[in-house]
Amino acid sequence: MRLLHPWLAMTICINSLATASFLYAEPGRTAAQFLVRDTGTRALALGGAFTAAWGDIESIGYNPAGVGTITNTQIDLMYSRGFAGDNFGSMNLGLPQLHPVHFGLGATHYDAGSIDLNLSGGLQEKRKAEQDWAFTGTMALELTSVVSVGASAKSFRSTLAEEYDAQGTAFDAGLLMRLPLGGRLGHLYAGGSLMNQGDEITFHKEKDPLPTKRAGGLAWRFGGQSQEGMGDEPGRWEVLMLGDVSQVKHEKKIASLGLEVTQFNLFGSETIASLRGGYRSEAQTPSTHVGFGWGQELWLLNYALVFHKTGLRHQMSMSWKL
């Protein structure tokens, strides 16, 4: 059974997505907005400031060059619950075995929940507001021990109200550098990326551009020795500070800041604990981010909580190093 008015359905869908998705874009300006959602839980807790992050497979969603800096096979599984009942999940796999060429694979799915539509004959029907899928393949090259470059290709499909479909291909590219500062000054990292480059897509008749994104970032990592805990072995601590400036097509530039403090060998054991905080300076809807990581060298549980004027967003992930 067809909808009573196609553009009415489209309007309902767009309004629903503007509320359901935790993206701060103006609705209707770009399509496939799920492509710029935060796929990394650690990254989300840091305000999304992850363009210059080193050694984490979560970089696949922010800067493909970061895949070239991982040293172990990494698996990351993420689930996010939004304030409007929307669900978002991802799975990422990093493969550094063919050094200096590293590979990454990713899959994401977004479900914006359900909406009620008026159909012909006065009937009503509940339908899925939006269903999105994306599959990403990344190749990164570690040019030297301090420079990595990477590129991604992603195939995606988006469905509105179970009625309109659009699909396409997008491409990412990035650069990441590590600058040793010497001594106790730690390391400085710099990164840049171009995300979601591709042709416009069509849902009904009108073409809409992809949410292309440009981002640049800096990170500073330094560490030392903590006081002795309950055990005899002193724990090593590490501090990571990150900052990004990014811009999505047709939107204003935003700044993101993140801080992470990590304690290794907590209480003399192999436990690793991290506390994280972040801030994102959206013009109309700034957000505050907090989170933690808990685990050991080969596995880690991550959690992020975002405070936003329209509600809370929870996100969790499990990651493994093999």
Side-chain angles (χ1 to χ4, degrees):
M1 185 176 294
R2 303 294 294 179
L3 298 178
L4 182 60
H5 195 295
W7 288 109
L8 175 61
M10 185 69 72
T11 300
I12 295 173
C13 289
I14 292 175
N15 290 336
S16 174
L17 296 178
T19 302
S21 63
F22 200 76
L23 303 166
Y24 317 116
E26 182 178 345
R29 298 297 295 272
T30 57
Q33 279 284 315
F34 77 101
L35 293 177
V36 290
R37 286 184 66 100
D38 290 279
T39 58
T41 301
R42 180 186 176 210
L44 180 63
L46 295 169
F50 219 66
T51 305
W54 189 276
D56 195 324
I57 188 56
E58 286 190 6
S59 295
I60 198 172
Y62 304 86
N63 184 352
V67 176
T69 67
I70 62 176
T71 57
N72 302 84
T73 297
Q74 293 187 18
I75 302 173
D76 183 80
L77 301 176
M78 181 276 292
Y79 173 75
S80 174
R81 179 74 172 177
F83 67 89
D86 56 322
N87 298 278
F88 187 55
S90 71
M91 179 180 67
N92 295 315
L93 172 65
L95 302 169
Q97 284 80 359
L98 297 179
H99 182 84
V101 180
H102 298 188
F103 295 94
L105 298 173
T108 61
H109 175 245
Y110 177 60
D111 180 354
S114 300
I115 56 174
D116 294 315
L117 297 178
N118 294 319
L119 306 178
S120 59
L123 298 178
Q124 289 189 334
E125 182 176 304
K126 185 179 290 292
R127 295 190 179 185
K128 291 289 186 180
E130 180 180 10
Q131 293 281 302
D132 300 314
W133 289 91
F135 300 93
T136 303
T138 299
M139 183 175 71
L141 177 63
E142 186 179 356
L143 296 177
T144 68
S145 61
V146 296
V147 178
S148 175
V149 295
S152 298
K154 63 185 71 170
S155 176
F156 64 90
R157 180 173 182 175
S158 183
T159 303
L160 298 179
E162 304 177 32
E163 183 77 12
Y164 302 102
D165 291 299
Q167 54 188 345
T169 303
F171 301 92
D172 308 329
L175 171 69
L176 186 58
M177 297 182 293
R178 177 175 61 179
L179 308 174
L181 299 178
R184 288 183 172 272
L185 295 179
H187 290 83
L188 182 67
Y189 305 86
S193 64
L194 296 173
M195 309 293 289
N196 305 319
Q197 308 297 309
D199 296 331
E200 296 179 333
I201 60 174
T202 304
F203 277 101
H204 185 60
K205 293 181 180 180
E206 298 292 331
K207 290 187 175 182
D208 296 304
L210 296 180
T212 56
K213 177 182 176 183
R214 298 176 296 170
L218 294 174
W220 180 32
R221 184 191 301 273
F222 62 98
Q225 295 290 331
S226 71
Q227 297 180 353
E228 292 189 7
M230 296 177 62
D232 295 331
E233 180 184 3
R236 180 172 64 88
W237 58 267
E238 189 174 78
V239 176
L240 177 64
M241 303 174 65
L242 308 99
D244 272 19
V245 175
S246 62
Q247 184 175 28
V248 177
K249 189 179 184 69
H250 296 320
E251 299 177 36
K252 295 181 179 181
K253 292 181 180 178
I254 64 171
S256 302
L257 299 173
L259 173 65
E260 177 183 71
V261 180
T262 301
Q263 175 78 61
F264 298 86
N265 306 119
L266 187 64
F267 304 136
S269 69
E270 296 181 355
T271 301
I272 300 173
S274 297
L275 291 178
R276 302 167 183 140
Y279 179 78
R280 181 175 285 165
S281 66
E282 298 284 347
Q284 301 297 327
T285 53
S287 56
T288 302
H289 306 229
V290 295
F292 68 84
W294 180 274
Q296 296 184 358
E297 183 66 26
L298 298 181
W299 66 271
L300 194 67
L301 170 67
N302 293 304
Y303 174 76
L305 176 64
V306 181
F307 298 89
H308 182 255
K309 71 176 184 180
T310 51
L312 301 177
R313 175 181 174 186
H314 304 268
Q315 187 159 307
M316 296 185 65
S317 68
M318 282 291 301
S319 60
W320 295 266
K321 293 182 178 180
L322 306 180

